[in-house]
């Protein structure tokens, strides 16, 4: 008897097919057409092809004393319910990156979950909930706290257990270093040692790197690349898209203030505002104030209604258009010391927003 089996994976919210017997192509097309016709409307967006994905970034869970880096347990439960609603394709970070780099389509509303710093609440609170929901995630680990048994930090046993359960364990320096302030020797030491410690304890070499605080520079990126990493993440907001800098990819930070259900839904529904030729390209400013500018997407309508905002100065009103596709912004005041963010957004289809973000760092004098 010829038979095709078709089933739905709730854990990754993808349609998976498995064939048995002959005449697979014709019968599968017939079954696929019938199955899609029966899908609830909420499932439709998750099976459409797209070329972008959203990466969200957590730190702590249920640690109310740290509102800038934690979400409440209730917020986490709301996030999981939304991610399981059928409108999203929650996938391992490695799958999302592989598809983008190979030019393969992603499902619309593709989402990857990342967590920085290996706090104990990841194991106690988030891990059981993500595991039971079948949601894959990645933890970026600063190894010194784990090695020394620092209070509130997971152990290697915790991390191994999560890794064996499907979580990815990736690199985040040894000491949670302010990398943009460090010299090359220190950078190399921290990147190399953290990579070796994770490989030794987890049993597999990390593939991805995340800059602590999202702070990087051209020199920092070069050291990370020299260590063998081809993909690294900051903490600037925005979706991933094929033209993005693979050594400084964006993630949306999620915390108590920016973790409410409406905000969370807005973030995971964003589309890329595919700006190119962004200057300054160096995330650490060598000139302050900088001359900031970018080239609009080839499809100009994607940038209709564009607005840009600075974390200290608010909405930027002096957008100067040069030719058909170049936008430049001249700042009259220097950026403050530390981290500044620029976000540019534009209305997208079906109530969604297009988003581009950049973080700049100004070293202390």
């Amino acid at each position: 008897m010829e038979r095709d089996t078709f089933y739905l994976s709730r854990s990754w919210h993808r349609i998976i097919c498995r064939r048995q017997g002959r005449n697979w192509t014709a019968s599968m097309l017939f079954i696929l057409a019938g199955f899609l016709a029966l899908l609830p409307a909420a499932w439709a967006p998750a099976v459409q092809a797209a070329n972008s994905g959203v990466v969200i970034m957590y730190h702590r869970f249920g640690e109310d004393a740290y509102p800038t880096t934690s979400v409440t347990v209730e917020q986490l439960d709301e996030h999981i319910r939304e991610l399981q609603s059928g409108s999203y394709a929650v996938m391992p970070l490695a799958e999302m990156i592989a598809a983008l780099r190979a030019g393969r389509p992603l499902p619309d509303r593709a989402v990857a979950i990342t967590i920085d710093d290996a706090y104990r609440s990841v194991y106690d609170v988030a891990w059981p909930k993500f595991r039971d929901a079948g949601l894959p995630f990645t933890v970026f680990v600063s190894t010194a706290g784990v090695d020394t048994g620092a209070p509130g930090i997971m152990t290697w046993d915790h991390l191994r257990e999560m890794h064996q359960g499907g979580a990815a364990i990736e690199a985040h320096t040894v000491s949670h270093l302010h990398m943009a302030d460090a010299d090359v020797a220190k950078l190399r030491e921290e990147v190399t040692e953290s990579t070796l410690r994770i490989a030794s304890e987890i049993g597999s070499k990390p593939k991805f790197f995340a800059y602590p605080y999202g702070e990087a520079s051209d020199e920092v990126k070069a050291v990370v690349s020299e260590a063998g990493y081809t993909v690294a993440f900051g903490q600037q907001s925005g979706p991933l898209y094929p033209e993005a800098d693979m050594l400084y990819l964006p993630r949306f930070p999620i915390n108590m203030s920016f973790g409410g259900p409406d905000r969370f839904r807005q973030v995971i529904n964003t589309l890329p505002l595919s700006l190119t030729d962004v200057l300054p390209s160096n995330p650490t400013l060598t000139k302050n104030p900088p001359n900031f500018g970018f080239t609009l997407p080839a499809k100009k309508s994607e940038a209709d209604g564009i607005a840009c905002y600075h974390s200290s100065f608010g909405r930027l009103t002096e957008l100067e258009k040069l030719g058909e596709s170049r936008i430049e912004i001249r700042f009259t005041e220097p950026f403050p010391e530390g981290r500044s963010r620029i976000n540019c957004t534009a209305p997208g289809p079906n109530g969604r927003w297009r988003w581009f973000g950049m973080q700049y760092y100004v070293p202390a004098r």
Side-chain angles (χ1 to χ4, degrees):
M1 178 179 177
E2 298 174 0
R3 181 176 59 185
D4 290 286
T5 303
F6 211 96
Y7 67 98
L8 192 64
S9 167
R10 282 188 58 82
S11 63
W12 291 10
H13 304 297
R14 296 182 304 168
I15 300 170
I16 304 171
C17 60
R18 185 172 55 202
R19 67 174 177 130
Q20 297 175 347
R22 301 177 180 175
N23 298 328
W24 177 80
T25 301
S27 58
M28 180 52 66
L29 288 174
F30 177 79
I31 291 173
L32 179 61
F35 187 85
L36 290 177
L38 295 173
L39 277 174
W43 271 95
V47 297
Q48 296 172 4
N51 69 344
S52 66
V54 168
V55 181
I56 56 177
M57 178 193 66
Y58 294 102
H59 285 82
R60 306 170 186 260
F61 302 87
E63 298 190 54
D64 294 352
Y66 303 95
T68 61
T69 55
S70 185
V71 294
T72 67
V73 175
E74 293 75 20
Q75 286 175 325
L76 178 60
D77 288 339
E78 289 171 342
H79 299 170
I80 290 173
R81 281 194 295 272
E82 180 67 21
L83 291 170
Q84 288 187 302
S85 67
S87 297
Y88 309 95
V90 183
M91 59 173 51
L93 182 63
E95 278 198 15
M96 181 181 289
I97 294 297
L100 285 171
R101 299 189 76 182
R104 296 194 304 268
L106 285 163
D108 191 26
R109 295 179 173 88
V111 179
I113 301 168
T114 66
I115 308 169
D116 283 9
D117 300 345
Y119 291 111
R120 176 62 186 260
S121 60
V122 178
Y123 181 82
D124 291 340
V125 179
W127 160 235
K129 292 179 181 292
F130 286 144
R131 179 191 59 208
D132 293 347
L135 298 177
F137 62 94
T138 295
V139 183
F140 288 99
V141 177
S142 295
T143 56
V146 186
D147 282 335
T148 60
I153 301 295
M154 286 187 281
T155 67
W156 286 115
D157 284 341
H158 294 143
L159 291 164
R160 278 190 287 268
E161 179 185 338
M162 293 195 302
H163 179 66
Q164 291 163 6
I169 309 300
E170 306 291 354
H172 198 44
T173 73
V174 172
S175 65
H176 206 265
L177 182 69
H178 285 279
M179 298 183 78
D181 290 330
D183 62 32
V184 170
K186 181 63 173 177
L187 292 172
R188 286 176 176 154
E189 174 189 330
E190 292 253 348
V191 174
T192 301
E193 178 63 22
S194 63
T195 301
L196 292 174
R197 290 296 297 130
I198 291 170
S200 173
E201 294 287 348
I202 300 300
S204 60
K205 184 178 179 181
K207 300 180 181 68
F208 305 139
F209 190 89
Y211 306 104
Y213 313 101
E215 296 171 2
S217 67
D218 286 348
E219 185 174 68
V220 170
K221 292 194 293 180
V223 170
V224 169
S225 176
E226 176 188 282
Y229 291 98
T230 58
V231 175
F233 292 86
Q235 294 185 14
Q236 71 276 25
S237 299
L240 277 55
Y241 57 99
E243 298 82 13
D245 180 355
M246 285 290 162
L247 282 171
Y248 198 54
L249 289 172
R251 296 181 291 168
F252 279 100
I254 308 294
N255 58 23
M256 287 187 195
S257 297
F258 296 102
D262 292 340
R263 162 74 176 183
F264 184 76
R265 192 176 301 112
Q266 179 191 57
V267 160
I268 59 177
N269 277 278
T270 53
L271 295 163
L273 183 56
S274 306
L275 307 181
T276 57
D277 305 314
V278 177
L279 294 176
S281 59
N282 188 345
T284 292
L285 293 183
T286 57
K287 176 186 177 183
N288 191 18
N291 293 329
F292 178 73
F294 50 82
T295 299
L296 296 170
K299 189 176 181 181
K300 303 293 191 302
S301 60
E302 292 184 359
D304 287 349
I306 188 171
C308 295
Y309 303 83
H310 188 279
S311 52
S312 294
F313 308 141
R315 183 165 182 172
L316 304 173
T317 57
E318 301 298 325
L319 276 65
E320 181 182 357
K321 191 169 184 180
L322 306 179
E324 289 299 314
S325 59
R326 186 72 185 170
I327 298 288
E328 298 202 353
I329 301 172
R330 298 290 180 255
F331 290 92
T332 58
E333 298 180 54
F335 289 15
E337 291 181 359
R339 298 182 293 276
S340 291
R341 291 182 174 89
I342 295 176
N343 287 310
C344 296
T345 60
N350 302 317
R352 301 167 74 178
W353 284 88
R354 300 190 182 278
W355 198 305
F356 172 86
M358 187 66 184
Q359 177 176 289
Y360 290 108
Y361 178 69
V362 176
R365 294 192 181 96

